[in-house]
Amino acid sequence: MGRYVIRRLLQMIPVFIGATLLIFLMVNVMGDPIAGLCGDRQCDPATAAQLRKEFGLDKPVWQQYLTYMGNVFTGDFGTAFNGQKVTELMSTAFPVTIRLTIVAVVFEVVIGITLGVVTGLRRGRPVDTGVLLVTLVVISVPTFVTGLLLQLLLGVEWGWIKPSVSTDAPFDELIVPGLVLASVSLAYVTRLTRTSIAENRRSDYVRTAVAKGLPRRRVITRHLLRNSLIPVVTFIGTDVGALMGGAIVTERIFNIHGVGYQLYQGILRQNTQTVVGFVTVLVLVFLVANLLVDLLYAVLDPRIRYA
Amino acid sequence: MRGATHARWAACAVAVALTATACGGGDDDSGGGSGSGDGSGILSSSWGDPQNPLEPANTNEVQGGKVLDMIFRGLKRYDAKTGKADNMMAEKIETTDSQNFTVTIKNGWKFSNGEAVTAKSFVDAWNYGASLKNNQKNAYFFGYIDGYDKTHPEDGGKQTADTLSGLKVTGTNTFTVKLNQKFSTFPDTLGYAAFSPLPQAFFDDHAAWVSKPVGNGPYSIDSYTKGSQMSLRKWDAYSGPDKAQNGGVDLKVYTDNNTAYTDLMAGNLDLVDDVPAAQLGNVKSDLGDRYINTPAGIIQTLAFPFYDKDWDKPGMEKVRTGLSRAINREQITDTIFQKTRTPATDWTSPVLGEEGGFKEGLCGDACEYDPEEAKKLIEEGGGFPGGQVKISYNADTGSHKQWVDAVCNSVNNVLGNDKACVGNPVGTFADYRNQITSSKMSGPFRAGWQMDYPLIQNFLQPLYYTNASSNDGKWTSKEFDKLVDEANAETDRAKAVELFQQAEEVLRDDMGAIPLWYQNGSAGYSERLSNVALNPFSLPVYSEIKVS
């Protein structure tokens, strides 16, 4: 197990370097960011040159990347164009997005798995068909449609929620955005769980457990569910990273000042420091989430532990 | 063993949740105040994250400008209705030769931290703004002042002076300005935010000042959370005549103006100063007379790459004029912009007024839609270079795609060829500007101009004078330059305006840029507010707004 973890940690290094380098190059080929800083007029050449020097944009890209990575390891993610430290932006943006992600994952786990178990045990019944239909609709409707519709109905027409989330973004204001963010994944979790449960219900160990005379509840939770959760956990694990990085649409609709918002601003203003900084952290989150998933396997299925 | 693993996992999840909450926990959102017409009500207004640190000489976009307009007052201030430059902090500005000016400021003004506003506050601020080492993006505003080339060498060389030799403090409340050329309307430019005075605190602790700016205007900043909200409160000791009529303004950052509009509809926000294009169709039924749509000092044009031989050869003026005549401005402003833009008939803006230099119809036939004449002109001039015209625009903001496509449609219909004109989107604004400044455009491109100050000079000189700072198309005309120089030297205002208009006619005859339409400012507000208006810069006049 320990060697397994170490191997996984070592694998993270090339992924990390590759991902950041790619992002760095992609942002850089978009052209000179200083050109956009002065609005619809030209910065005077002297000021532009000075700014370029200050942000290190006058050096070749490889040198910029090395300097940047060197700074990152000392915790310095550079400065955004508006004079704020990128770490400062992160400290305001990440807690908000983490909260949003938590709400979304909780929805996925609670609603998704429950619905999946219920439908998996009742295959072919009206409940099953109904849920299948609903999830199909949820998957096929884009997030921004769901988001805008809920915002309009709950926020403006019925006045149950505020259409936009306040600066502090406490948990209770994030329920609706979290549900919107979770919706598509939630549908997938339901379907994954359903298939997995339905498949394992016919397996030998379940028949044995039932034959032993174990109560139905125990058969389902300890034997059936536990084995059926492996693909679901994989999905949710990788989804954590996807939710954090992909919250951009939801965050925009509900005016949440999280990671998606900062990334959007950074890309629009072609702010290399912000974009690369945030993506770097997102890559780390993704890697750690994947590692956790692999470790969770061991909890769910002891056989994996010895592999 | 197994139980322990579970417990650890659960504890970890809880810890993450708690940290997240703890990190985000701040003070409560105080929301709108409950003042009832006694001037203490607080309104909330939509805002965008300023692009630059909030310094007067470094702010060149609307969002930062909004704040500066509330916390600063300069020597002059532009009238919200007429755009005329009236004295604000200036007692008088005198000159005998349009080149040397003596400025006397009013007594008794203070910054909100208690410091007195003196002549030195202005001179220090201007010197700071002009100095290359401070990277101020509006430094060029001080370019008319003597000694600018020393503090801000154009070639990026080493600066040889930190202060402008043309500025001299002659008393507590007086200073003199020497310009490097005659510029009769110079005093009228001094209402621009870049010319605001700065307190000593700005220079003593710059970082602290930037995180919470201090000015001499009717509002002071109560709290500022970068990227999300700024709370401005009425400053009771404000010495100017335009005291705030409300208790304060909460500026809330919105990532999307659609969300701001939704919040206004839900009663969660009081003022939206940028009605999203998607809502223009139903804004009148939503808001009734709480929707404002008034002209602003913004004009949209199509510029040409005169550095490209194909666009600069003799006869092309006919093609350019033909292109202008092939655009059905009326139809586009009606259908795409829902009348929030007005077809342009000159190169300035209606906010200048007749006296200020706006002359309706100056463009004449050249801006009128006439399919037959347009086709004839384009053919006479030899047609579009390469048989096709590509109109470049940035696709990331401002919904430019729609109108560019509409313009091309109009042109294609006129020529009976659906390949004659196509749009050429550029991904980001930064890249778009990049291509323009490096002279890489191969056809006409979108150009917008938001005035710095309501002067006809500002609509012509920076854009069309040879090698001027924003002459992106590199159009050049000796005749035009000569007339602009004469106009700047002319002390009689009416005569100066006339000379500028003559210069504009030169621009028209060569069709140096096609004027498209004047842009309006649009805003919507809640039932709590009254007396809401937009100034010529399309900023709400916050201090006048009453909250009930």
Side-chain angles (χ1 to χ4, degrees):
Chain A
M1 189 74 185
R3 278 180 63 181
Y4 176 65
V5 174
I6 289 170
R7 212 170 67 213
R8 286 300 311 266
L9 286 173
L10 286 177
Q11 276 173 4
M12 283 162 71
I13 296 171
V15 175
F16 179 74
I17 292 174
T20 46
L21 181 64
L22 265 181
I23 289 296
F24 206 88
L25 292 176
M26 277 155 88
V27 179
N28 266 284
V29 294
M30 278 162 41
D32 181 7
I34 301 298
L37 269 190
C38 291
D40 261 323
R41 72 180 80 219
Q42 196 176 340
C43 288
D44 70 284
T47 310
Q50 180 96 352
L51 284 168
R52 239 171 248 131
K53 204 163 136 200
E54 197 177 291
F55 290 108
L57 295 164
D58 52 342
K59 298 197 182 71
V61 178
W62 64 268
Q63 209 172 329
Q64 285 182 43
Y65 179 71
L66 286 184
T67 326
Y68 181 81
M69 287 315 278
N71 287 337
V72 164
F73 281 108
T74 59
D76 176 11
F77 281 87
T79 313
F81 287 150
N82 68 356
Q84 258 181 304
K85 288 260 167 222
V86 175
T87 41
E88 206 180 299
L89 293 176
M90 287 179 182
S91 68
T92 56
F94 269 100
V96 175
T97 299
I98 288 175
R99 257 172 285 158
L100 183 64
T101 311
I102 289 174
V103 174
V105 170
V106 166
F107 272 122
E108 274 181 37
V109 170
V110 175
I111 303 185
I113 294 183
T114 317
L115 282 180
V117 172
V118 170
T119 52
L121 292 174
R122 290 181 176 70
R123 256 180 85 175
R125 307 259 189 89
V127 186
D128 182 36
T129 327
V131 170
L132 271 184
L133 210 71
V134 171
T135 50
L136 187 71
V137 171
V138 171
I139 291 172
S140 52
V141 176
T143 321
F144 70 88
V145 176
T146 333
L148 285 173
L149 212 64
L150 281 181
Q151 184 187 41
L152 190 71
L153 288 178
L154 302 178
V156 182
E157 296 295 323
W158 302 333
W160 292 355
I161 59 161
K162 283 186 176 180
S164 69
V165 172
S166 66
T167 310
D168 300 328
F171 272 112
D172 54 339
E173 288 184 23
L174 290 175
I175 291 175
V176 177
L179 186 63
V180 170
L181 180 60
S183 59
V184 173
S185 304
L186 198 155
Y188 280 121
V189 168
T190 309
R191 290 178 154 231
L192 263 177
T193 317
R194 172 184 171 275
T195 319
S196 197
I197 290 266
E199 213 168 87
N200 287 334
R201 203 153 66 107
R202 289 194 297 265
S203 60
D204 296 341
Y205 63 85
V206 173
R207 205 182 315 135
T208 313
V210 174
K212 275 199 299 189
L214 289 181
R216 182 178 157 81
R217 190 183 187 78
R218 195 169 164 82
V219 173
I220 292 173
T221 52
R222 300 300 274 185
H223 295 261
L224 182 55
L225 189 56
R226 187 162 174 167
N227 281 288
S228 307
L229 274 186
I230 292 180
V232 180
V233 165
T234 317
F235 178 78
I236 294 178
T238 47
D239 204 38
V240 168
L243 287 178
M244 286 190 87
I248 182 158
V249 175
T250 317
E251 291 194 356
R252 217 174 131 78
I253 293 174
F254 292 97
N255 198 37
I256 302 168
H257 299 267
V259 173
Y261 162 62
Q262 296 294 353
L263 268 177
Y264 177 75
Q265 288 273 33
I267 292 170
L268 216 58
R269 291 177 184 172
Q270 230 174 306
N271 200 330
T272 324
Q273 315 277 330
T274 325
V275 178
V276 181
F278 274 82
V279 171
T280 305
V281 176
L282 282 178
V283 167
L284 280 178
V285 170
F286 210 86
L287 291 173
V288 170
N290 270 297
L291 181 70
L292 282 179
V293 168
D294 287 350
L295 296 184
L296 262 181
Y297 278 173
V299 178
L300 288 169
D301 185 350
R303 283 173 302 176
I304 297 176
R305 221 180 281 177
Y306 307 108
Chain B
M1 171 65 200
R2 203 176 287 165
T5 327
H6 280 289
R8 212 181 306 149
W9 186 55
C12 197
V14 171
V16 171
L18 285 179
T19 348
T21 332
C23 301
D27 50 352
D28 287 334
D29 184 17
S30 47
S34 54
S36 48
D38 57 353
S40 66
I42 289 161
L43 66 122
S44 54
S45 174
S46 67
W47 195 34
D49 197 18
Q51 194 170 10
N52 308 306
L54 281 171
E55 298 165 297
N58 202 21
T59 299
N60 55 2
E61 37 77 58
V62 183
Q63 304 306 338
K66 212 181 273 183
V67 176
L68 295 181
D69 191 56
M70 292 163 85
I71 63 167
F72 277 110
R73 286 294 177 264
L75 291 170
K76 295 252 182 183
R77 183 162 173 79
Y78 303 113
D79 187 281
K81 287 199 184 69
T82 62
K84 195 168 162 287
D86 298 322
N87 281 346
M88 179 49 87
M89 275 212 65
E91 180 82 50
K92 54 190 184 216
I93 301 174
E94 296 166 315
T95 181
T96 49
D97 57 357
S98 294
Q99 191 163 6
N100 288 285
F101 296 84
T102 308
V103 181
T104 312
I105 64 170
K106 285 176 188 157
N107 229 333
W109 278 63
K110 282 193 163 51
F111 289 103
S112 61
N113 64 357
E115 272 182 51
V117 189
T118 63
K120 191 171 172 294
S121 315
F122 282 96
V123 171
D124 285 352
W126 295 8
N127 280 329
Y128 181 88
S131 178
L132 175 59
K133 66 177 180 203
N134 297 323
N135 290 338
Q136 303 287 294
K137 295 183 189 81
N138 287 342
Y140 63 92
F141 274 94
F142 307 99
Y144 294 106
I145 300 172
D146 207 28
Y148 178 74
D149 50 340
K150 298 234 164 50
T151 65
H152 200 113
E154 217 35 65
D155 56 359
K158 201 157 169 52
Q159 69 184 82
T160 49
D162 282 346
T163 53
L164 293 160
S165 57
L167 292 178
K168 288 220 166 53
V169 178
T170 51
T172 322
N173 288 333
T174 53
F175 66 101
T176 58
V177 185
K178 182 173 187 283
L179 304 184
N180 50 26
Q181 64 182 81
K182 283 182 190 290
F183 185 7
S184 56
T185 45
F186 173 72
D188 287 355
T189 68
L190 297 175
Y192 191 70
F195 293 104
S196 303
L198 286 169
Q200 190 56 39
F202 177 88
F203 304 98
D204 292 345
D205 189 350
H206 185 249
W209 191 91
V210 167
S211 68
K212 197 175 166 183
V214 170
N216 62 337
Y219 292 95
S220 65
I221 295 173
D222 192 47
S223 69
Y224 179 21
T225 319
K226 273 187 185 165
S228 38
Q229 182 165 342
M230 179 183 272
S231 298
L232 293 124
R233 291 293 172 264
K234 179 183 183 177
W235 177 40
D236 289 321
Y238 174 59
S239 9
D242 54 338
K243 281 187 192 300
Q245 302 294 307
N246 48 58
V249 180
D250 284 336
L251 296 175
K252 294 182 176 175
V253 172
Y254 281 89
T255 49
D256 186 341
N257 57 3
N258 279 296
T259 314
Y261 188 80
T262 312
D263 254 358
L264 174 70
M265 290 286 95
N268 210 11
L269 186 74
D270 291 320
L271 177 62
V272 170
D273 62 356
D274 177 21
V275 176
Q279 306 287 356
L280 287 175
N282 50 306
V283 65
K284 280 203 193 85
S285 58
D286 280 350
L287 294 170
D289 53 4
R290 285 181 286 118
Y291 166 60
I292 310 177
N293 179 18
T294 49
I298 306 171
I299 183 170
Q300 303 286 343
T301 59
L302 280 184
F304 293 98
F306 285 94
Y307 41 78
D308 185 333
K309 266 192 236 104
D310 284 342
W311 281 100
D312 198 26
K313 63 189 178 200
M316 282 310 278
E317 72 277 359
K318 281 193 173 162
V319 177
R320 293 192 293 266
T321 312
L323 186 61
S324 167
R325 302 204 67 175
I327 301 169
N328 193 342
R329 295 175 177 75
E330 202 81 42
Q331 195 186 34
I332 296 172
T333 49
D334 273 8
T335 52
I336 293 185
F337 296 118
Q338 308 277 351
K339 292 195 199 304
T340 57
R341 299 189 187 187
T342 316
T345 58
D346 79 340
W347 281 260
T348 65
S349 161
V351 298
L352 294 180
E354 298 263 324
E355 259 174 70
F358 168 66
K359 191 170 181 185
E360 194 173 349
L362 184 137
C363 186
D365 288 347
C367 290
E368 258 159 45
Y369 178 63
D370 185 338
E372 275 160 40
E373 197 62 23
K375 194 171 178 187
K376 207 174 106 196
L377 278 167
I378 293 173
E379 275 161 10
E380 274 177 18
F384 295 135
Q388 192 183 46
V389 60
K390 277 188 180 168
I391 301 179
S392 302
Y393 60 95
N394 58 306
D396 54 349
T397 49
S399 43
H400 297 304
K401 183 184 182 340
Q402 290 150 326
W403 69 257
V404 170
D405 287 349
V407 164
C408 273
N409 239 336
S410 183
V411 174
N412 291 344
N413 285 341
V414 164
L415 295 178
N417 170 5
D418 62 355
K419 294 266 161 43
C421 175
V422 289
N424 175 35
V426 178
T428 61
F429 180 66
D431 193 21
Y432 178 70
R433 288 302 309 171
N434 203 12
Q435 291 190 19
I436 290 176
T437 50
S438 51
S439 299
K440 279 192 188 135
M441 290 295 169
S442 59
F445 53 95
R446 168 194 90 74
W449 181 253
Q450 164 138 30
M451 66 176 184
D452 302 313
Y453 26 78
L455 288 179
I456 184 172
Q457 179 266 349
N458 190 243
F459 280 94
L460 298 177
Q461 193 169 2
L463 289 157
Y464 308 112
Y465 196 84
T466 303
N467 288 328
S469 58
S470 289
N471 189 347
D472 291 333
K474 307 268 183 254
W475 182 73
T476 168
S477 156
K478 286 209 180 73
E479 182 69 14
F480 179 90
D481 294 357
K482 197 183 100 208
L483 286 164
V484 167
D485 287 341
E486 279 174 24
N488 276 330
E490 180 59 61
T491 42
D492 180 41
R493 207 186 149 89
K495 274 191 193 146
V497 164
E498 209 170 290
L499 284 164
F500 274 121
Q501 284 172 342
Q502 282 176 26
E504 213 177 325
E505 283 164 11
V506 174
L507 175 66
R508 172 195 65 196
D509 294 338
D510 197 40
M511 198 47 85
I514 297 177
L516 293 172
W517 32 74
Y518 313 117
Q519 192 167 323
N520 286 5
S522 62
Y525 53 96
S526 71
E527 279 161 358
R528 292 175 67 215
L529 306 189
S530 58
N531 207 21
V532 185
L534 296 176
N535 69 14
F537 302 91
S538 78
L539 291 178
V541 190
Y542 285 106
S543 57
E544 299 286 317
I545 296 176
K546 292 196 171 82
V547 184
S548 66

